[in-house]
Amino acid sequence: MPIGLLNLYSTRNLGDAAIYASLAQMSPDSKAIGCLHEDQPTVIEGYNSSSDLYSCNTFVSVGGDIFNNARPSLVTRRFLSNIAELKRNPKKTILFGQSIPRSCRSLSFRFLAHALKQLSSVTIRDEESYERLHAAGVKTQLSFDTAFVLKPDGAASALAAQQLSVIGLEPSKTALISLRNESSMYAKNNGEKQLIEISEKLLERGHHVGLLVQADGDAADSDRQMALRIKEACPRAVIVDPFSHKALIDPWKIFIGYLSVANIVVAVRYHAAVLRLISGRCPYVLHYSNKGHDLCKRLSIEGSELGVESASDIIRSIENSARLKFDVAPIACHVRESFQHALSTIGMQ
């Protein structure tokens, strides 16, 4: 029986797609199902969409920032819907690999904490979220992001290198910059001015610059418009789009391939950093929330707050990140062991 995934977001954000693939991979029969309606879903190995979710006997509330709440003094319908998902079968439900975003506070945080206390197990991916839940009396485990268990696919990496060359980017000289549009849930500054300056500085220093599209969902979560604006300001930068391939390789695998073969990765989006690290190489992280800051702090990854530092001040750190190696094995092992422990709590009910 596959596990049922709750609180899904979108397969068209490739970071979330990587989470779903990770959970399917770690499931007892390497399968996961979820009820997610999208016009153009991306393919995810091991994951299938199904409306018959509650025939499952194990449920996982997936990683991510799904408990954002856009109304600080009140609670949104979307937030309440996500809470309701947790309450359907709490003793057979675990929450795994999530962050509790700072937008979830006051009344919404109290609602969430109450719901989490009913679950079989709660595992969080960042220290700030762990401390908040612990202080609220929620029994919580601390691990890392679920996608750390993935590995780059050789065929996807080869195709990624080939496609970079086709669009004029030599992998050994390429600096990929991940983008993130402005969101009311996070800091108002989306760092666009800083990213333009970094692109210009990298081009001046002989690097090839690729603007990496990770999300192509609705208007609130798409990197395309920012990519186009930065390219207009920096015409020599090239947009790198994992969604454009017609090959029989999952887009999230192509995305990981780009991150593994590029010489430099400047990661604004959290999963651009995580999925660079699984290749054994370090990114430079421009963090905009607690999850990205936690990645830098706990794993000693070079980075700074998005939109704060000048390109001139951090350009050498960005270049130096290309030479830094990362041992992902103990992190992947910790995630797998944490997940198996979480599943075991359902068996003990």
Side-chain angles (χ1 to χ4, degrees):
M1 176 69 68
I3 62 169
L5 303 185
L6 307 179
N7 298 134
L8 298 176
Y9 175 62
S10 173
T11 69
R12 295 193 68 80
N13 181 315
L14 299 181
D16 289 84
I19 289 174
Y20 309 157
S22 306
L23 290 168
Q25 185 183 108
M26 290 192 294
S27 297
D29 60 357
S30 300
K31 293 180 182 178
I33 62 173
C35 185
L36 186 58
H37 303 291
E38 296 178 293
D39 292 336
Q40 295 179 299
T42 67
V43 177
I44 301 173
E45 183 178 346
Y47 167 80
N48 285 293
S49 183
S50 172
S51 58
D52 189 26
L53 189 63
Y54 293 99
S55 63
C56 298
N57 57 20
T58 302
F59 304 96
V60 181
S61 180
V62 302
D65 284 357
I66 199 67
F67 292 107
N68 266 311
N69 180 54
R71 304 176 71 184
S73 301
L74 299 170
V75 183
T76 65
R77 290 182 181 180
R78 176 66 180 270
F79 183 87
L80 290 174
S81 175
N82 289 331
I83 293 291
E85 288 278 279
L86 298 179
K87 291 183 174 181
R88 288 180 186 268
N89 206 336
K91 294 306 179 184
K92 291 187 176 182
T93 299
I94 65 173
L95 178 145
F96 193 83
Q98 287 188 344
S99 294
I100 309 304
R102 292 168 182 168
S103 65
C104 179
R105 56 189 185 272
S106 303
L107 183 61
S108 61
F109 181 71
R110 290 198 294 273
F111 280 170
L112 177 60
H114 181 267
L116 295 184
K117 289 176 183 178
Q118 315 308 313
L119 300 188
S120 180
S121 173
V122 175
T123 304
I124 293 298
R125 67 181 177 183
D126 74 277
E127 208 162 33
E128 181 179 308
S129 298
Y130 172 82
E131 295 294 345
R132 290 180 68 195
L133 291 179
H134 182 73
V138 180
K139 187 177 180 181
T140 309
Q141 307 299 317
L142 177 63
S143 188
F144 299 92
D145 188 81
T146 318
F148 272 113
V149 304
L150 296 174
K151 296 180 180 179
D153 178 88
S157 295
L159 179 61
Q162 178 187 28
Q163 291 300 317
L164 287 178
S165 298
V166 167
I167 59 178
L169 299 174
E170 184 179 328
S172 63
K173 294 182 178 180
T174 294
L176 288 182
I177 301 178
S178 95
L179 315 173
R180 193 184 198 285
N181 61 319
E182 187 171 313
S183 169
S184 60
M185 303 294 185
Y186 300 102
K188 294 295 183 182
N189 184 357
N190 64 5
E192 187 167 327
K193 180 181 177 182
Q194 183 191 41
L195 296 180
I196 291 172
E197 292 174 352
I198 290 172
S199 298
E200 290 173 337
K201 187 67 68 174
L202 286 168
L203 288 165
E204 286 173 8
R205 296 168 72 86
H207 302 280
H208 297 177
V209 172
L211 306 173
L212 184 61
V213 174
Q214 175 178 320
D216 184 34
D218 58 24
D221 190 25
S222 176
D223 301 330
R224 292 189 182 281
Q225 292 306 311
M226 179 184 280
L228 290 169
R229 291 194 301 271
I230 294 177
K231 181 167 177 57
E232 185 175 3
C234 265
R236 286 195 291 154
V238 178
I239 296 175
V240 179
D241 184 0
F243 295 96
S244 66
H245 297 287
K246 305 302 181 184
L248 298 177
I249 297 180
D250 299 0
W252 63 269
K253 292 184 179 181
I254 297 291
F255 180 68
I256 294 172
Y258 284 133
L259 293 166
S260 66
V261 302
N263 185 45
I264 292 171
V265 170
V266 179
V268 175
R269 284 196 178 265
Y270 176 77
H271 277 102
V274 170
L275 299 175
R276 168 68 162 187
L277 289 167
I278 68 169
S279 70
R281 305 178 68 186
C282 287
Y284 184 90
V285 180
L286 290 172
H287 50 79
Y288 60 87
S289 69
N290 49 306
K291 58 187 178 183
H293 179 263
D294 182 81
L295 204 63
C296 293
K297 179 183 174 183
R298 284 206 290 153
L299 299 182
S300 300
I301 305 301
E302 284 285 319
S304 57
E305 186 177 350
L306 177 65
V308 173
E309 304 289 344
S310 72
S312 297
D313 289 339
I314 60 175
I315 193 67
R316 291 198 180 277
S317 294
I318 290 173
E319 290 176 323
N320 185 58
S321 68
R323 296 186 285 273
L324 300 178
K325 304 299 183 183
F326 182 78
D327 182 8
V328 72
I331 307 301
C333 182
H334 193 283
V335 173
R336 289 185 181 277
E337 289 178 351
S338 298
F339 188 71
Q340 294 306 316
H341 172 74
L343 288 183
S344 74
T345 64
I346 294 177
M348 291 188 292
Q349 293 298 331

